[in-house]
Amino acid sequence: MSTTSSTPVVTEQSCGREQVDVRGPRFGGAVTTVVLAVALVAGPGPLGTTLLAWQTLAFALGALVGLQAQPYGILFRRVVRPRLGPATEFEDAAPPRFAQAVGLVFAVVGLVAYLVGATLVGQVAVAMALAAAFLNAAFGFCLGCEMYLLGRRVLGSRRPRTA
């Protein structure tokens, strides 16, 4: 699956489900990788905390409002995508949106830890989100998306069977 911890998006509708251009989340993963890498290196000072707060907001918009509201998705849609050829591959928006929620959890933990002085906890949380974003940007492997699909398989198998 080629989506990310961070972001899409050109949306289409297919069978009533929102679809995203698979290149969008990968672009978002690349931007997220840079933001989180600088936040990690800068640490809990003003620059690191501000960048982490920004990334937390970006994740929150993607997870809670939708991928179309995610800042890197907007940048992709308005600036990057017009310079690329038309999208040829789309995927369901639910897994990347879930990945945004996973990123949000790690970013919130990191941000709170930075703010209360728990530097090591903050750095570990940021590093984990950074690793997931990098996997998506570099290899097209969306860890959050895979978690979503695994959860669907596990929870799907628990539904009662009808005869």
Side-chain angles (χ1 to χ4, degrees):
M1 173 153 278
S2 62
T3 44
T4 155
S5 300
S6 261
T7 336
V9 2
V10 166
T11 59
E12 300 282 325
Q13 293 292 324
S14 174
C15 301
R17 298 186 58 92
E18 183 181 14
Q19 300 286 303
V20 295
D21 179 342
V22 297
R23 302 170 297 183
R26 197 162 184 180
F27 171 79
V31 176
T32 299
T33 296
V34 172
V35 170
L36 290 176
V38 175
L40 183 62
V41 170
L47 177 61
T49 302
T50 301
L51 286 173
L52 188 53
W54 164 255
Q55 187 58 54
T56 302
L57 174 63
F59 281 141
L61 288 169
L64 303 174
V65 178
L67 298 174
Q68 71 283 355
Q70 215 278 358
Y72 311 145
I74 293 169
L75 181 64
F76 174 78
R77 190 171 59 249
R78 293 189 181 162
V79 178
V80 176
R81 185 167 189 269
R83 289 166 174 73
L84 303 173
T88 59
E89 189 176 348
F90 293 89
E91 67 182 339
D92 184 9
R97 190 167 177 180
F98 180 81
Q100 293 287 301
V102 173
L104 176 61
V105 170
F106 282 99
V108 166
V109 168
L111 184 59
V112 169
Y114 274 9
L115 293 173
V116 301
T119 303
L120 182 59
V121 172
Q123 289 174 326
V124 168
V126 172
M128 292 176 81
L130 171 60
F134 176 76
L135 285 172
N136 188 45
F139 305 109
F141 180 79
C142 177
L143 192 56
C145 299
E146 294 300 322
M147 290 171 55
Y148 174 86
L149 296 172
L150 179 62
R152 291 286 306 232
R153 279 186 220 116
V154 168
L155 295 175
S157 66
R158 291 185 178 176
R159 281 189 240 161
R161 293 184 183 180
T162 56

